[in-house]
Amino acid sequence: MMKKEHYGAIDGLRTIACIGIVMMHVAANTDYSITGFFYNSMIPSFTNFVFLFMTVSAFGMCCGYYHKMLNNQINLSDFYTKRFKKILPFFALLVLIDVLLSPSLNGIYEAFADLTLLFGFLPNAGNISVIGVGWFLGLIFVFYVCFPFYCVLIKNKKRAWISFFLSLFFNFVCSVYFDVGRTNILYSSCYLIAGGLIYLYRTNIRSLNQWVLLAAVLFSVVLYYLIGANTLTCLLVSSSLLIYAISNRGGILQNKFTAFISTISMEVYLSHMVIFRIVERLGLHQVIGNGWLQYFLTLLIVLFGTVMFSIIAQKVLNIFITKLDQLLA
């Protein structure tokens, strides 16, 4: 068996994306009297960090399972069981909390769909309000279901490039004809295949100059804000960031803080709006005014509360699952 490859700087990308999305949601769900490019344009654009998550997730899956899948070294039952065990307990806890906070018949229907983890196959998965940010989890689980086929699509570089260009055209068709967006696996497949393509070139990437790659990141970010968000600019930013992280050794992307946040990035992403609603009900989002200080105070409270909730919930759930496994053994 090949040892799973690890690129520490990718922890930094997960941390940046995770915190950026929390910043965006805090700003979007408050009405602070703040103006300026950073608050009115830059922070809202952090919603597109979900595409970076997609690209990084695909790359990470390839690091762990690509060769094993193609060489028939994976028991598919074990593969999918591991995915359910990793995702479902924490997500189910959040779904339960959300339904209890806002009980309704519609909420029960949506909770059922959520708990199957297969809601990403629904044509309107983005309309689910019970853990609304969970649409991303639904899409990623569809990716897990399709992962064996995905590995066949990128079995070699030529096939991967063909698949990538077809996925770009499918993204275009989804936008102009089928009227579906990022919650749809076919619309977002170009980001997932981009992650696989980068995986195929990972050895070549590690030999490239880091400063040149950093310049490419800066260029893609400037281009993004000059011409606006679209599939190509989001792909450029996500891909250039991942390529830079692969070549990076140490630095601000790879340290104890980013390694820690990376391990709970999915939990933070899924639970931060639940914590924000609690902060909102307690009135903590309006303690010291309506400007930058209050925004950053709210952000810190939400981040701290979300991190603590994620850690405690995971520990409690791990104990519960261990006890349950012992009873069923």
Side-chain angles (χ1 to χ4, degrees):
M1 289 284 186
M2 296 181 64
K3 184 179 179 180
K4 182 177 179 179
E5 301 168 62
H6 180 70
Y7 299 86
I10 292 178
D11 293 340
L13 297 187
R14 292 193 184 97
T15 301
I16 291 170
C18 179
I19 294 176
I21 289 172
V22 176
M23 290 177 68
M24 180 273 298
H25 278 133
V26 169
N29 288 275
T30 52
D31 56 355
Y32 298 136
S33 299
I34 304 173
T35 58
F37 173 78
F38 182 70
Y39 190 81
N40 294 327
S41 298
M42 200 165 185
I43 291 178
S45 73
F46 292 167
T47 185
N48 289 324
F49 275 134
V50 293
F51 297 126
L52 176 60
F53 265 134
M54 291 178 196
T55 308
V56 168
S57 297
F59 179 85
M61 284 292 289
C62 288
C63 287
Y65 300 104
Y66 173 78
H67 289 288
K68 294 177 184 178
M69 191 67 72
L70 290 179
N71 294 325
N72 295 316
Q73 295 175 327
I74 288 183
N75 182 305
L76 288 180
S77 179
D78 293 340
F79 174 78
Y80 291 119
T81 297
K82 185 177 181 180
R83 307 270 78 72
F84 271 102
K85 283 187 173 181
K86 183 178 180 180
I87 297 170
L88 185 57
F90 186 84
F91 188 53
L93 175 63
L94 292 176
V95 169
L96 176 63
I97 292 172
D98 200 338
V99 171
L100 290 176
L101 288 175
S102 303
S104 68
L105 183 59
N106 288 345
I108 293 174
Y109 293 150
E110 292 183 0
F112 166 76
D114 281 343
L115 295 178
T116 65
L117 296 184
L118 298 174
F119 58 96
F121 284 105
L122 292 169
N124 57 345
N127 295 332
I128 293 179
S129 60
V130 175
I131 310 299
V133 296
W135 70 263
F136 176 78
L137 181 62
L139 184 141
I140 289 298
F141 200 81
V142 172
F143 172 62
Y144 292 157
V145 172
C146 301
F147 188 69
F149 179 62
Y150 171 87
C151 290
V152 173
L153 286 178
I154 62 167
K155 186 175 182 180
N156 55 59
K157 292 176 182 178
K158 181 179 178 181
R159 190 182 292 183
W161 277 111
I162 293 172
S163 299
F164 177 67
F165 285 118
L166 287 174
S167 72
L168 278 178
F169 186 67
F170 222 139
N171 175 278
F172 172 76
V173 171
C174 284
S175 299
V176 301
Y177 182 75
F178 291 107
D179 194 27
V180 294
R182 62 184 184 174
T183 61
N184 181 275
I185 188 68
L186 293 173
Y187 176 94
S188 297
S189 61
C190 54
Y191 301 98
L192 299 168
I193 294 177
L197 257 175
I198 292 170
Y199 173 79
L200 295 179
Y201 286 93
R202 67 198 182 285
T203 304
N204 309 82
I205 290 170
R206 299 212 74 172
S207 64
L208 298 176
N209 185 283
Q210 291 185 45
W211 294 107
V212 173
L213 296 179
L214 179 59
V217 171
L218 295 176
F219 172 79
S220 68
V221 171
V222 171
L223 189 66
Y224 174 92
Y225 286 109
L226 282 176
I227 68 176
N230 57 53
T231 298
L232 293 180
T233 55
C234 288
L235 266 172
L236 278 174
V237 173
S238 300
S239 299
S240 62
L241 280 168
L242 178 55
I243 289 170
Y244 174 70
I246 292 171
S247 72
N248 188 272
R249 299 167 184 82
I252 60 173
L253 291 178
Q254 186 175 355
N255 51 65
K256 291 182 179 179
F257 175 74
T258 57
F260 166 68
I261 295 297
S262 178
T263 60
I264 57 170
S265 58
M266 180 59 75
E267 288 78 7
V268 171
Y269 171 82
L270 289 172
S271 63
H272 73 272
M273 282 307 297
V274 173
I275 302 302
F276 173 79
R277 292 306 176 196
I278 295 173
V279 170
E280 189 179 42
R281 290 191 180 191
L282 294 174
L284 298 177
H285 66 305
Q286 295 177 331
V287 177
I288 54 172
N290 206 31
W292 277 111
L293 283 177
Q294 180 60 65
Y295 170 74
F296 281 115
L297 177 61
T298 304
L299 178 64
L300 287 173
I301 293 172
V302 171
L303 282 171
F304 179 77
T306 304
V307 169
M308 294 304 298
F309 174 79
S310 299
I311 294 171
I312 294 170
Q314 283 288 40
K315 288 184 179 296
V316 172
L317 288 170
N318 287 339
I319 293 171
F320 174 77
I321 292 170
T322 301
K323 295 291 185 182
L324 184 62
D325 286 340
Q326 291 174 350
L327 289 173
L328 297 176

